[in-house]
Amino acid sequence: MQPEITNVQLITLAIAVLGAVLGIINTWHGLDKSRVKLKVLPAHAIPFGAVDPHLKFCIGITNLSAFPITIEDAGVFFHSTSNRGVIVNPVFADGGHWPRRLDPRSSITVYSQIPVSKEGHRIKCAYAKTQCGVVATGNSEALKQISREQKR
């Protein structure tokens, strides 16, 4: 004969299960807060006014982390190679330069000429690299269009 489970024991079990689930969620949230998160969005740039007409490419970089980060460089990766196209002399709207510190939820836009591979490889994706070595990549329809146009 098995002992019967009382209502008090069922309520205690339900509270224990709820506490365990909330503890797991809290642990995951804490680990996620300490992770570097960047949004990298490549786009077409349209030269306007008294700017260099060759600046037809830009990369928007947004810090989605809960803490400030410093961006060291940005550029593109190419298909079928480990080479990358680093934006060495970027143009920023405020006239700044590398490295750039980004507070949480802030962003910068890096303007440049369209990067070209010396070996003729097409652009695969854009990237941004932090000073701590984290590399985030991003893609967009605009970058896919730029890559297709390079093939011609």
Side-chain angles (χ1 to χ4, degrees):
M1 187 162 130
Q2 291 186 352
E4 288 191 30
I5 299 175
T6 65
N7 286 340
V8 173
Q9 290 172 329
L10 284 175
I11 291 172
T12 303
L13 178 63
I15 291 172
V17 169
L18 178 65
V21 169
L22 290 176
I24 291 169
I25 291 171
N26 192 32
T27 301
W28 176 80
H29 183 66
L31 292 172
D32 190 55
K33 281 179 87 172
S34 64
R35 201 170 53 101
V36 173
K37 292 178 268 190
L38 291 174
K39 179 179 178 183
V40 178
L41 186 64
H44 287 284
I46 300 172
F48 181 79
V51 297
D52 184 354
H54 296 100
L55 299 177
K56 296 186 177 185
F57 179 69
C58 66
I59 302 173
I61 305 166
T62 305
N63 179 11
L64 299 176
S65 306
F67 48 88
I69 59 169
T70 302
I71 304 294
E72 183 175 81
D73 70 37
V76 297
F77 288 124
F78 296 105
H79 283 284
S80 306
T81 182
S82 61
N83 295 342
R84 58 188 175 137
V86 179
I87 299 175
V88 180
N89 294 316
V91 176
F92 296 101
D94 63 1
H97 52 81
W98 294 126
R100 297 297 297 243
R101 182 178 169 90
L102 288 179
D103 290 323
R105 304 292 178 187
S106 64
S107 64
I108 58 168
T109 303
V110 181
Y111 296 93
S112 79
Q113 297 178 5
I114 296 173
V116 179
S117 168
K118 292 177 184 176
E119 296 86 22
H121 297 287
R122 291 178 40 207
I123 295 173
K124 179 168 69 173
C125 63
Y127 78 90
K129 181 180 176 189
T130 66
Q131 279 192 327
C132 61
V134 175
V135 176
T137 60
N139 216 331
S140 68
E141 289 301 316
L143 187 65
K144 291 175 186 175
Q145 180 183 11
I146 290 169
S147 181
R148 283 191 303 269
E149 290 174 358
Q150 280 185 325
K151 192 174 183 180
R152 293 179 192 170

